[in-house]
Amino acid sequence: MPKVIAITSEKGGVGKSTLAVHLAGAFAERGLHVVLIDEDGRVGSSLRWAARAAALGTPAPGHSAPRGLDFPVLGPDDIKPKKLADLDVLIIDTEGRPKRKELRQLAGRADLILVPSATSALELDATRELLEFLSDETEAGRKTRVVLTRVPPVGRAGEEAREDLRDLGITVCNTLVRLYSAYQKAAELGTLARDVRDSRAEAAWDDIKQLSRELL
Ligand SMILES: Nc1ncnc2c1ncn2[C@@H]1O[C@H](COP(=O)(O)OP(=O)(O)O)[C@@H](O)[C@H]1O
Ligand SMILES: [Mg+2]
């Protein structure tokens, strides 16, 4: 059976879909068989992300087509149980602000719960709150890791947030996913930061590759 990685957070707009799409891309690049499930019914941003490259249509002469995604993005009901067995990794992109009951269910289904969080005081507070609940649930707590994202590339805000959370006993990924516009461009084009024209595209992709190695 595949390793199931669920991505959730207390707040919306923290970078769940960005992380889900890019992690799936990094696993696929390593030759792993990966599927991304989009369970965010309201926005469906991973599904829309995947649809965007196709929707952009044929490029003008002299321009290359956006590369798109080289792994499937499916809706919650599109995955056949038979297909699951062949997978190495299943990534679940969820809607933000899950109800407590939904979180418990997620913990039951996932091997790993990733909680992206930016380093602002507000987001760290929300993340701490979510982690507090999860740590009361022994199974869920064990499976949960925070990943700091949208980390300012300059300064030490990421490192400091990582240490502060760890001091509270929270498991935090070593890798800091930094704030780069390459991710926004990738979302607009329906592709990965790796494949956009941007001077920091490689730096962005390096963060993701490092995180993927840390997780599996
Ligand atoms: N590491 C990052 N660097 C720069 N922008 C980011 C990063 N992660 C996410 N974003 C941007 O933040 C916004 C919200 O991200 P998204 O992944 O859609 O969040 P969520 O799925 O949690 O709602 C998007 O505009 C996205 O491009
Ligand atoms: Mg999303």
Side-chain angles (χ1 to χ4, degrees):
M1 287 308 275
K3 171 148 175 152
V4 179
I5 302 177
I7 304 183
T8 192
S9 63
E10 187 70 10
K11 275 168 59 73
V14 298
K16 288 182 296 295
S17 298
T18 303
L19 201 60
V21 166
H22 282 86
L23 270 181
F27 288 130
E29 187 182 74
R30 283 165 47 189
L32 295 171
H33 195 174
V34 52
V35 163
L36 171 54
I37 306 271
D38 189 341
E39 293 195 351
D40 190 345
R42 293 166 314 167
V43 187
S45 48
S46 288
L47 274 168
R48 283 192 200 171
W49 194 311
R52 220 161 287 143
L56 287 174
T58 316
H63 289 75
S64 55
R67 187 177 150 158
L69 303 176
D70 38 21
F71 52 86
V73 183
L74 303 175
D77 303 323
D78 299 337
I79 184 93
K80 308 262 180 305
K82 247 200 231 157
K83 285 249 162 107
L84 269 181
D86 300 334
L87 287 180
D88 298 307
V89 194
L90 181 71
I91 298 183
I92 306 175
D93 180 18
T94 72
E95 76 182 277
R97 308 182 52 76
K99 298 195 180 70
R100 292 330 191 194
K101 193 174 134 215
E102 290 164 1
L103 264 179
R104 252 178 234 125
Q105 282 168 355
L106 206 59
R109 287 192 287 150
D111 301 298
L112 179 64
I113 301 175
L114 272 189
V115 178
S117 175
T119 56
S120 71
L122 267 181
E123 272 196 34
L124 286 174
D125 272 350
T127 299
R128 268 193 296 268
E129 215 172 276
L130 178 62
L131 271 281
E132 237 163 65
F133 167 77
L134 282 167
S135 68
D136 291 341
E137 309 274 320
T138 322
E139 196 196 9
R142 235 183 339 100
K143 291 178 175 176
T144 307
R145 281 195 233 178
V146 171
V147 51
L148 289 162
T149 184
R150 287 160 47 230
V151 173
V154 177
R156 296 193 43 83
E159 285 83 352
E160 282 165 12
R162 192 175 57 195
E163 293 325 306
D164 288 350
L165 291 173
R166 283 179 178 168
D167 284 345
L168 296 170
I170 293 170
T171 310
V172 187
C173 293
N174 251 329
T175 307
L176 304 171
V177 177
R178 289 167 292 176
L179 179 90
Y180 290 125
S181 54
Y183 292 109
Q184 271 137 22
K185 288 186 190 168
E188 283 159 22
L189 295 171
T191 187
L192 299 174
R194 178 190 66 196
D195 300 320
V196 301
R197 232 187 255 250
D198 185 289
S199 62
R200 308 303 284 152
E202 203 178 319
W205 188 240
D206 280 345
D207 285 353
I208 298 296
K209 282 193 293 189
Q210 190 187 324
L211 181 64
S212 92
R213 293 270 173 213
E214 202 183 329
L215 299 180
L216 189 71

